[in-house]
Amino acid sequence: MKNIIITGGSGDIGGAVAKRFLDYGWHVHLLLRSFESPIIQSIMKLSFVSVYQSDPENEAITLSTIQAIKNDGVIPDFVFHSAGTFLWDDGYPKQARPFLEVRDILLRANVKTKASPVNAIESVYKDSLSKIEQAFIGSHAANFAPDAPERTGKYKEEAYVEAMSIVQNMVNILADSGKYKNIFLFEPGLINTKMAQQAFPEERLGFKIDWDTVATPEQYAEAIFPKEFFEARQ
Ligand SMILES: NC(=O)c1ccc[n+]([C@@H]2O[C@H](COP(=O)([O-])OP(=O)(O)OC[C@H]3O[C@@H](n4cnc5c(N)ncnc54)[C@H](OP(=O)(O)O)[C@@H]3O)[C@@H](O)[C@H]2O)c1
C-alpha cells in the first residue's frame, strides 16, 4: 500500500487531497494542529487514515512526528505540504498589527510550515529520499507581485509575497538537489475555500468575486492528481 503524508490536512485543499488519495487506495497520514473541522471528523472514521497531532511550524515537534511515522514502519511515497495561510498582510486588519509582526506570522505560517517537515523528512528518511516525492502549495503571487506595485502597494502584500518567493526558491533548491524522486510546486491561483473567501472579501478588492465560478478544492485535487497520476504509481 502506498503512503502519503499531508500537512494542513484539516484545511479545504489538504482535506480534498486526502480524500482523493484515499479514493485511490493510499494510506493517508495527516499532521494536524487541530481535529475539529468537519473534514477531519469524517476522514478520521475511515480506514487507512492515521492522524498525528503536530505543528508544522515547530521544527522539534515535526521531527518527532515524522520519527513516529517511521517507527510505525512507514516510508512515505509522497509528502503533500498544504499547511499555510492564504491571508495577506492585511488579513489581520482589526488587530492592527505592526508590519514586522505580520511578516513574522506569515513567514512562520507559510515558510516554516514547509521547511520543518522537509528538514524532518531529510533527517529521518535520509536513506530513502530517492523514493520520495514531495509537492508544495505556493502562490503565483511569487511570480508577478514583486514587480507589480499595485499588489505590494495598494493591497499591502509585501510579507505574503516575500513568503511565497522564499517557498518558490526553497522548492527550486530541493528540485535541483536531485535527492528526491520528484518535487512539485503547485501555484493554484484562486480556489474556493473558506480561507480564500476570507482573504478576498468585496470590501478589500472593490469588486465581488463570483465564488460559484471558482474551482472547488475537490476539483483542484482532481486537477493536480488526475487518475493518470495514480495509475503511474500502482
Ligand atoms: N485557497 C486558495 O485559493 C489558495 C491559493 C494559493 C495558495 N493556497 C495555499 O493552499 C494551502 C491550503 O489552503 P486552504 O485554502 O485549503 O486553507 P485552509 O483550509 O485554511 O488550510 C490550511 C491548513 O494549514 C494548517 N496550518 C498549519 N500551520 C498553520 C499556520 N501556521 N497557519 C495557518 N494554517 C496552518 C491548518 O491546519 P491545522 O490547523 O489542522 O494544522 C489549516 O487547516 C495554504 O497553504 C494556502 O496558502 C491557497
Side-chain angles (χ1 to χ4, degrees):
M1 179 176 253
K2 297 272 186 189
N3 290 281
I4 180 170
I5 294 175
I6 301 179
T7 69
S10 70
D12 287 347
I13 293 176
V17 167
K19 282 193 185 141
R20 183 120 186 109
F21 277 77
L22 283 168
D23 284 348
Y24 280 90
W26 285 49
H27 191 132
V28 171
H29 305 263
L30 300 172
L31 269 61
L32 302 169
R33 294 178 309 173
S34 52
F35 298 81
E36 296 87 43
S37 84
I39 295 176
I40 292 306
Q41 289 297 322
S42 64
I43 284 181
M44 277 171 70
K45 298 190 185 100
L46 302 174
S47 308
F48 307 121
V49 176
S50 301
V51 175
Y52 301 83
Q53 181 145 35
S54 195
D55 181 356
E57 264 194 36
N58 184 304
E59 191 95 34
I61 292 175
T62 305
L63 181 62
S64 64
T65 308
I66 298 295
Q67 188 63 56
I69 294 175
K70 188 180 185 200
N71 293 347
D72 285 345
V74 173
I75 300 176
D77 299 281
F78 208 98
V79 183
F80 186 73
H81 300 260
S82 186
T85 180
F86 196 34
L87 295 180
W88 304 77
D89 301 20
D90 59 359
Y92 307 89
K94 294 196 178 72
Q95 297 167 38
R97 293 172 189 267
F99 175 74
L100 284 180
E101 199 177 320
V102 169
R103 180 175 181 269
D104 185 52
I105 290 171
L106 290 183
L107 287 178
R108 279 193 282 112
N110 285 321
V111 178
K112 198 73 188 161
T113 53
K114 296 170 182 68
S116 302
V118 164
N119 290 339
I121 296 279
E122 292 227 9
S123 149
V124 171
Y125 290 108
K126 52 179 171 299
D127 298 329
S128 316
L129 299 183
S130 62
K131 297 181 188 138
I132 298 175
E133 301 182 86
Q134 297 202 64
F136 299 79
I137 304 196
S139 167
H140 66 167
N143 300 319
F144 65 77
D147 297 322
E150 76 279 11
R151 307 293 300 201
T152 50
K154 178 178 169 193
Y155 291 130
K156 299 189 176 25
E157 294 164 349
E158 280 90 345
Y160 181 83
V161 169
E162 182 186 355
M164 288 306 155
S165 299
I166 295 172
V167 169
Q168 202 180 62
N169 282 338
M170 187 182 88
V171 174
N172 287 339
I173 289 168
L174 281 178
D176 290 347
S177 76
K179 281 192 277 193
Y180 289 90
K181 183 173 174 187
N182 266 318
I183 295 288
F184 303 93
L185 174 61
F186 299 118
E187 294 175 324
L190 194 59
I191 309 300
N192 188 355
T193 69
K194 288 181 284 309
M195 178 154 65
Q197 294 195 21
Q198 202 186 333
F200 289 109
E202 185 178 0
E203 62 194 29
R204 175 169 187 264
L205 293 177
F207 61 89
K208 199 173 161 98
I209 290 177
D210 181 358
W211 289 101
D212 289 341
T213 64
V214 178
T216 64
E218 291 72 24
Q219 289 168 332
Y220 183 60
E222 188 177 338
I224 55 177
F225 297 116
K227 85 172 171 359
E228 294 76 20
F229 170 93
F230 296 99
E231 286 167 358
R233 286 160 181 79
Q234 273 172 355

